[in-house]
Amino acid sequence: TVIFLFATTSRRGFFVCDITSNCGTIPCVMLQNELSQIIKGEVASDDATLEKYSTDASIFKLRPAVVVFPKDREDLKALVKFVHAKKRSGENISLTMRAAGTDMSGGPLSESIVVDVTRHLNRLVAIGKDYAIVEPGMYYRDFERAVAERQIDSALAGQWIVTLGQRIDAVKEQPRRPAPNPHVAAEERQPLGA
């Protein structure tokens, strides 16, 4: 089989092939192969996955080169090192974190590498009297169920679909909510459908 490759540089510096294989452009497949060798998680560049990750809850659409599903923090470290090395050699490449895809500003969209943390990085790691350690892909609804006996205030719009990574980012921009009324029974504070 002879493959003729004619590459042009797009506005962001990615190579776009005029001739494509069944699984995508040649550079995207090469990127997928490189990433698959450095992480334990999955790397996808099939049309269905790329189409799914080209949108969020916004009006924008931007197709990624690949989507990565890291298994653990070591995978995240490897991805950061990989992208750093590529950038130092002059490549225009980036990592864009994505969780539930509920952002309404196009924030998790990218033409480069999208990193989905909901598949594997979604656990409650530890909980103490006044703290919790969670992975960024844990849905808030799951967190709420895990700590329900501690009567944590969970009156959060969209709590059934946002992840804690997204929630923590939003909290930085919002004023602190008042503490729940201790005279209201916990059952009354539970959201509908819980």
Side-chain angles (χ1 to χ4, degrees):
T1 303
V2 176
I3 297 176
F4 177 79
L5 179 64
F6 177 75
T8 59
T9 306
S10 75
R11 66 181 176 87
R12 291 213 179 188
F14 289 102
F15 292 104
V16 181
C17 296
D18 291 338
I19 297 177
T20 60
S21 65
N22 288 336
C23 43
T25 63
I26 300 300
C28 291
V29 173
M30 289 174 22
L31 179 60
Q32 179 181 8
N33 291 339
E34 284 183 88
L35 291 169
S36 294
Q37 292 184 22
I38 65 163
I39 67 167
K40 297 177 287 289
E42 303 84 23
V43 182
S45 65
D46 60 281
D47 281 336
T49 301
L50 298 181
E51 186 63 26
K52 176 183 176 183
Y53 287 86
S54 68
T55 61
D56 59 0
S58 71
I59 61 171
F60 306 109
K61 185 171 185 174
L62 196 59
R63 190 175 171 102
V66 295
V67 179
V68 179
F69 305 92
K71 287 247 185 200
D72 54 27
R73 70 190 313 173
E74 296 307 314
D75 276 0
L76 290 173
K77 289 178 187 178
L79 287 167
V80 169
K81 287 178 183 176
F82 173 82
V83 168
H84 179 71
K86 292 285 188 182
K87 283 181 147 317
R88 292 196 84 183
S89 69
E91 290 189 41
N92 188 3
I93 190 169
S94 64
L95 295 173
T96 301
M97 301 303 288
R98 181 183 174 114
T102 58
D103 188 272
M104 296 181 74
S105 68
L109 305 181
S110 172
E111 290 178 317
S112 191
I113 303 169
V114 170
V115 182
D116 184 333
V117 293
T118 59
R119 185 176 288 181
H120 301 296
L121 295 172
N122 56 17
R123 299 176 303 117
L124 173 62
V125 177
I127 188 159
K129 183 179 178 183
D130 58 353
Y131 71 92
I133 300 172
V134 299
E135 292 176 332
M138 182 178 203
Y139 284 92
Y140 188 81
R141 63 179 181 226
D142 299 332
F143 173 76
E144 180 182 52
R145 286 185 196 123
V147 297
E149 70 275 2
R150 297 181 185 270
Q151 297 182 351
I152 292 176
D153 179 20
S154 61
L156 168 65
Q159 66 190 6
W160 298 108
I161 55 174
V162 301
T163 58
L164 283 165
Q166 179 182 3
R167 174 66 185 139
I168 290 167
D169 188 47
V171 167
K172 291 188 290 189
E173 300 170 11
Q174 296 177 359
R176 187 130 172 98
R177 296 179 55 95
N181 184 339
H183 302 291
V184 176
E187 302 84 51
E188 293 177 41
R189 285 199 304 267
Q190 293 299 318
L192 294 176

